[in-house]
Amino acid sequence: PDRRRRERPACAFRNRRVECRVRRAAPEGIEDNNMPGEPPVAIVMGSDSDWPVMSETVKLLAEFGVGCTAEVISAHRTPEKAHAWASSAETRGVKIVVAAAGGAAHLAGVVAANTTLPVIGVPMVGWALDGLDALLSTVQMPGGIPVATVAIGKAGARNAAILAVEVLALENEGLRRKLKTYREKMAAEVEAKSAQVGAEARKLARG
Ligand code: RP5
């Protein structure tokens, strides 16, 4: 079979449930290990109000050709579902969970309590405390049940994708190469911006 066929992202948003499956690009076996179950990364968020931020995770995973699902499950509003979803994640073929929530953000912790898969927590900017509440709720897990907590908001959503790819890359040479290229591209962009800033500064300095 053609293991390098192109992925076909397809996302839909219905009835407070986000469904997104990025079809396999299949570099060196991640999806093969994962068959016939779900894509390796499962994204869950406490509310559809988190989706504009968490779509960043989906987009970046798609850039790396890593498949994901995304859905809305609340630790507070749908607690039984949160428990069942997390408990069955491993048998469904999931390798890494990304869990995002705002306010008194218990979702990542509840998921982590119900699976031994690695869980990456993304604190959302809330309505009262600008995400500091979610950051502390997500990161301050009691010893024994870790949640790998990334930055609040969009930066965290993007870093969650990169961290998930880094974990998968431990056993995937193709993903390691993509991560290296990603960093090289980022460094080149910084150099270009630096040249631009330098040129503007010289212009201003001339008066
Ligand atoms: C959390 O409460 C969600 O993750 C969201 O960030 C926040 C607000 O949810 P909505 O009231 O917008 O549904 O559970």
Side-chain angles (χ1 to χ4, degrees):
D2 177 9
R3 291 159 64 86
R4 292 181 187 280
R5 64 185 182 274
R6 290 182 64 77
E7 66 272 20
R8 291 171 311 197
C11 299
F13 197 96
R14 330 179 187 108
N15 301 329
R16 295 176 72 83
R17 179 183 156 97
V18 181
E19 286 185 7
C20 174
R21 281 174 185 255
V22 180
R23 300 299 292 176
R24 61 184 55 209
E28 281 101 50
I30 280 188
E31 285 83 356
D32 280 357
N33 292 340
N34 212 41
M35 279 181 78
E38 293 190 6
V41 181
I43 302 167
V44 66
M45 62 206 84
S47 170
D48 60 348
S49 62
D50 302 325
W51 172 241
V53 173
M54 291 314 295
S55 58
E56 295 292 323
T57 309
V58 176
K59 283 187 233 165
L60 196 43
L61 287 171
E63 279 182 37
F64 282 96
V66 171
C68 70
T69 58
E71 59 191 289
V72 175
I73 300 176
S74 168
H76 308 283
R77 295 164 177 159
T78 60
E80 291 87 5
K81 187 174 177 187
H83 182 289
W85 183 92
S87 305
S88 63
E90 190 170 353
T91 51
R92 297 197 315 269
V94 174
K95 303 288 185 216
I96 302 168
V97 175
V98 176
H106 294 113
L107 184 59
V110 165
V111 170
N114 286 286
T115 181
T116 53
L117 293 172
V119 176
I120 302 171
V122 190
M124 297 287 95
V125 176
W127 55 98
L129 299 175
D130 278 345
L132 189 57
D133 43 1
L135 172 65
L136 296 177
S137 304
T138 307
V139 77
Q140 286 292 73
M141 287 297 289
I145 309 291
V147 169
T149 306
V150 291
I152 299 167
K154 258 184 193 175
R158 292 181 67 77
N159 279 347
I162 296 166
L163 185 53
V165 173
E166 286 176 350
V167 173
L168 295 170
L170 289 171
E171 295 192 8
N172 187 303
E173 175 58 31
L175 285 182
R176 283 202 289 279
R177 278 198 302 271
K178 285 184 185 182
L179 282 165
K180 192 165 173 283
T181 305
Y182 180 79
R183 293 225 173 165
E184 285 167 356
K185 192 170 160 237
M186 212 163 39
E189 281 167 7
V190 171
E191 289 305 320
K193 286 172 190 166
S194 177
Q196 175 89 24
V197 167
E200 284 180 30
R202 283 192 293 280
K203 200 169 150 197
L204 285 175
R206 283 197 295 273

